[in-house]
């Protein structure tokens, strides 16, 4: 059943890891991990994977879908919502085993329910529930060819959505109107959803890295931070461009050039084998030399895949190792309270030890639209 790519290979990679995690089996409940391992795209269900078997428990709405999407998994019908209703067949054969759970994948209430349901099993059939943090995420950080392709489709659509949104910029339009135009264009051109809440932040609003679009009218001369992404086939894009409506003030080209130089240096010099912290330092050094050291207030980037923020982290304190197959953003920014911000973000894939930029959205034009 194991293929070169796809869920067979992913299961094999997880099984190789069970020993290192000090567990005999893993209960997978975090939605993106569940989907990545099994291919199952339904909204409810859990997986149990051990060295021999892979099982999926889900309710009646999803039986047919799970069988179709997850042929490597044995279906365990979950007749009721309660864990007690399906725990016996799901954990059959795991008496005495160490069963890892994902601390980030269960609420405290759900964990209590699992503990209670396991206690309800005959003594000899009870596994021991132990935390297994970070079991699947490091595997997901390395994308296979199909995932890189899926991400590329999302990135290219995101690029188009940005171009459309940028074409809507003019003196007097509101942040909210531009954000809506971006979303409308995305859905009309094949997006299943937005990868995160679209950020359109004009003038001083751009000094807040995660500003929500407001009814503020965009005025000529203001820098506008546009950060948006789409979901296609479950995979996400993430792109930021900063533009100016009409004539920029004299600070803008200076800040923009520094941020662009930091990004270009990072994209050129980041290599497999570096830590996320070392990658961050490349851009941080360029910005510090330009006098903006204390204005770069977030990490340089992050992994992107089924989730918008996943491993590895590229930030000052990150020990995550960069490696081929990772898809990461490179997004330096400078934020000046009262004036605004400049952030430029590309999505890149690590190939043959170096970053290849996937994003194609234009960067060089400092002016888009133009007030009149
Ligand atoms: Zn972004
Ligand atoms: Zn990002």
């Amino acid at each position: 059943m194991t293929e070169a790519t796809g869920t067979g290979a992913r299961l094999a990679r997880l099984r190789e890891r069970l020993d290192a995690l000090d567990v005999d089996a893993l209960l997978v409940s975090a939605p993106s991990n569940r989907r990545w391992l099994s291919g199952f795209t339904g909204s409810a269900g859990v997986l149990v994977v051990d060295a021999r078997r892979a099982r999926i428990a889900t309710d009646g709405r999803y039986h047919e879908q799970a069988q179709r999407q997850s042929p490597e998994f044995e279906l365990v019908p979950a007749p009721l919502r309660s864990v007690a209703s399906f725990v016996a067949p799901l954990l059959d054969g795991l008496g005495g085993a160490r069963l890892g759970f994902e601390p980030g994948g269960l609420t405290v209430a759900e964990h209590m329910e699992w503990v209670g349901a396991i206690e309800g099993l005959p003594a000899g059939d009870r596994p021991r529930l132990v935390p297994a943090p970070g079991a699947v995420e490091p595997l997901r950080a390395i994308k296979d060819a199909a995932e890189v392709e899926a991400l590329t489709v999302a990135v290219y659509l995101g690029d188009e959505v940005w171009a459309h949104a940028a074409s809507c910029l003019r003196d007097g339009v509101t942040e909210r109107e531009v954000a809506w135009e971006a979303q409308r264009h995305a859905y009309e051109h094949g997006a299943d959803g937005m990868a995160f809440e679209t950020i359109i932040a004009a003038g001083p609003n751009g000094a807040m890295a995660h500003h929500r679009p407001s009814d503020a009218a965009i005025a000529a001369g203001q820098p506008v931070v546009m950060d948006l992404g789409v979901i296609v086939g479950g995979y996400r894009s993430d792109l930021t461009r900063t533009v100016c409506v009409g004539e920029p003030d004299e600070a803008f080209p200076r800040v923009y050039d520094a941020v662009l130089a930091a990004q270009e240096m990072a994209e050129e010099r980041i290599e497999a084998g570096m830590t996320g912290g070392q990658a961050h330092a490349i851009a941080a050094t360029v910005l510090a030399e330009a006098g903006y050291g204390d204005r770069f207030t977030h990490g340089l980037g992050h992994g992107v895949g089924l989730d918008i923020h996943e491993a590895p982290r590229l930030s000052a304190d990150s020990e995550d190792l960069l490696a081929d197959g990772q898809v990461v953003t490179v997004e330096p920014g400078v934020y000046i309270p009262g004036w605004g911000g400049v952030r430029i973000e590309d999505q890149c894939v690590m190939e043959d030890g170096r970053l290849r930029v996937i994003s194609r959205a234009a960067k060089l034009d400092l002016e888009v639209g133009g007030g009149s």
Side-chain angles (χ1 to χ4, degrees):
M1 280 298 254
T2 302
E3 315 144 6
T5 58
T7 53
R10 294 174 194 172
L11 267 179
R13 287 170 63 202
L14 178 64
R15 284 177 167 140
E16 280 167 19
R17 206 168 140 69
L18 292 176
D19 273 352
L21 294 166
D22 197 22
V23 298
D24 303 302
L26 187 69
L27 171 69
V28 178
S29 54
S32 293
N33 291 342
R34 177 180 73 212
R35 175 177 180 155
W36 183 80
L37 271 170
S38 69
F40 175 63
T41 59
S43 65
V46 294
L47 313 178
V48 171
V49 176
D50 63 25
R52 283 183 314 113
R53 299 175 67 183
R55 294 172 255 194
I56 181 167
T58 188
D59 62 77
R61 291 173 297 169
Y62 290 126
H63 288 174
E64 195 189 328
Q65 182 180 337
Q67 280 170 319
R68 205 176 56 241
Q69 293 182 323
S70 310
E72 334 238 352
F73 285 72
E74 304 163 40
L75 176 66
V76 176
L80 299 170
R81 241 191 126 69
S82 67
V83 175
S85 73
F86 59 86
V87 71
L90 183 65
L91 302 183
D92 173 49
L94 293 176
R98 288 172 65 81
L99 174 63
F101 70 92
E102 303 183 282
L106 291 178
T107 64
V108 174
E110 286 165 345
H111 180 259
M112 288 167 68
E113 193 187 355
W114 278 93
V115 169
I118 288 170
E119 276 171 4
L121 292 171
D125 293 345
R126 293 177 200 150
R128 253 182 67 211
L129 209 50
V130 295
V136 181
E137 288 82 356
L139 301 176
R140 275 176 52 202
I142 308 294
K143 273 66 182 173
D144 59 38
E147 291 185 290
V148 173
E149 199 179 309
L151 283 159
T152 301
V153 170
V155 169
Y156 288 172
L157 179 57
D159 289 344
E160 273 178 47
V161 169
W162 171 78
H164 174 75
S167 77
C168 299
L169 284 176
R170 61 189 177 278
D171 193 1
V173 72
T174 69
E175 293 173 344
R176 206 191 286 264
E177 285 167 337
V178 177
W180 175 246
E181 274 299 323
Q183 289 168 62
R184 191 177 61 76
H185 190 90
Y187 281 95
E188 284 179 2
H189 292 80
D192 302 321
M194 302 308 286
F196 53 91
E197 204 173 332
T198 299
I199 296 170
I200 306 291
N205 292 336
M208 292 168 283
H210 278 172
H211 171 72
R212 307 179 84 166
S214 72
D215 290 317
I218 298 170
Q222 286 184 324
V224 184
V225 178
M226 310 172 74
D227 187 351
L228 55 84
V230 296
I231 306 172
V232 183
Y235 285 84
R236 292 171 197 253
S237 71
D238 191 2
L239 174 83
T240 307
R241 292 292 181 262
T242 303
V243 300
C244 200
V245 180
E247 270 308 294
D249 66 13
E250 61 172 42
F252 183 75
R254 216 168 45 233
V255 178
Y256 191 94
D257 282 351
V259 174
L260 185 60
Q263 192 198 35
E264 285 174 345
M265 186 74 88
E267 288 176 348
E268 193 185 305
R269 300 233 174 132
I270 288 173
E271 287 178 9
M274 283 181 175
T275 65
Q278 289 171 319
H280 176 90
I282 295 170
T285 302
V286 174
L287 289 174
E289 282 167 0
Y292 299 116
D294 55 347
R295 304 295 190 193
F296 178 28
T297 49
H298 53 72
L300 178 63
H302 53 87
V304 188
L306 290 169
D307 289 329
I308 188 63
H309 293 127
E310 50 183 58
R313 280 188 318 119
L314 281 60
S315 57
D317 64 347
S318 173
E319 303 282 334
D320 294 350
L321 280 178
L322 304 186
D324 277 355
Q326 291 172 346
V327 171
V328 300
T329 66
V330 176
E331 51 178 308
V334 164
Y335 307 93
I336 300 173
W339 178 77
V342 171
R343 178 165 69 255
I344 311 174
E345 173 178 31
D346 287 330
Q347 205 163 325
C348 309
V349 57
M350 186 76 82
E351 285 176 350
D352 301 323
R354 308 301 283 262
L355 288 182
R356 176 172 65 79
V357 177
I358 306 171
S359 309
R360 302 193 290 198
K363 256 183 240 179
L364 296 175
D365 296 55
L366 292 182
E367 277 186 60
V368 174
S372 57

